[in-house]
Amino acid sequence: MIEVLYFAWLRERAGTSRESVETRAPNVAALVEELKGRSEGHALAFSDLRAVRVAVDQKLAGLDAPLGGAREVAFFPPMTGG
């Protein structure tokens, strides 16, 4: 079971800030494909992956990041700094 967290406009589109997901996805990209099938809002949230960042167990990661043993995956928009 993986806890999936959504932030900012991803949360608004998915309609939830978090959900527990039972998955056999080997990596983040495969998890995203599963999540897209949950609702139209989820599909909209992940419609442009160039605008989505991900962290696996609170460490920035890419879509190719493996999920073996992961407890948490967070999706959020690109960060800005100053």
Side-chain angles (χ1 to χ4, degrees):
M1 186 78 67
I2 293 179
E3 193 72 15
V4 178
L5 309 176
Y6 304 94
F7 294 92
W9 54 263
L10 288 140
R11 176 185 61 233
E12 294 168 11
R13 292 178 183 177
T16 186
S17 62
R18 68 185 323 134
E19 58 188 327
S20 296
V21 175
E22 188 71 42
T23 183
R24 291 180 181 250
N27 58 35
V28 174
L31 175 63
V32 166
E33 288 306 311
E34 288 180 14
L35 294 171
K36 283 181 176 180
R38 289 189 158 225
S39 73
E40 287 183 28
H42 283 82
L44 182 59
F46 295 111
S47 62
D48 182 4
L49 293 177
R50 295 173 299 169
V52 176
R53 300 297 176 263
V54 63
V56 176
D57 290 334
Q58 300 184 6
K59 293 181 182 170
L60 289 176
L63 292 173
D64 59 346
L67 293 179
R71 293 178 174 217
E72 177 185 276
V73 177
F75 295 101
F76 48 93
M79 298 170 276
T80 60

